[in-house]
Amino acid sequence: MKNKLSDLNDHLFAQIERLGDEDLSDEQIEREAKRADAIVSVADQIIKNADLQLKAATLLAGHGYHFAPHLANIAPTAERKALAQGDGQ
């Protein structure tokens, strides 16, 4: 599964549309509100993860790639090795 932040955006707007459906019963509105809470909770974690990745990329871009091997979860192993060897500068 290869999702992008644009997919998250689509899901959030789809949920807004569902919440705005004026034909929903009180029970359906409550169910959609609970669903929206769950979606927002997951979306917050996805956004925090993307922000962390952006901060790591900014750090590497601003200070060089010599310490990239120490950031084990930032880039795939092959990419870290290439960065450590100076191929990513």
Side-chain angles (χ1 to χ4, degrees):
M1 183 187 216
K2 300 277 183 179
N3 291 312
K4 298 173 261 178
L5 289 177
S6 60
D7 297 326
L8 173 60
N9 196 48
D10 293 341
H11 286 294
L12 293 172
F13 278 109
Q15 184 60 41
I16 288 172
E17 289 178 15
R18 285 191 293 273
L19 286 169
D21 185 348
E22 294 182 15
D23 295 328
L24 295 178
S25 68
D26 289 345
E27 181 181 307
Q28 290 171 318
I29 291 171
E30 186 174 334
R31 187 174 61 233
E32 285 302 326
K34 287 180 182 179
R35 178 180 171 153
D37 286 342
I39 289 172
V40 166
S41 180
V42 171
D44 284 343
Q45 294 305 310
I46 292 169
I47 291 167
K48 286 178 184 178
N49 183 52
D51 184 55
L52 178 60
Q53 291 177 2
L54 178 60
K55 287 176 182 176
T58 301
L59 177 71
L60 291 172
H63 298 285
Y65 294 87
H66 61 281
F67 59 89
H70 302 288
L71 302 174
N73 293 320
I74 301 300
T77 304
E79 186 177 337
R80 283 196 322 270
K81 287 180 182 177
L83 291 171
Q85 295 170 354
D87 296 343
Q89 292 186 16

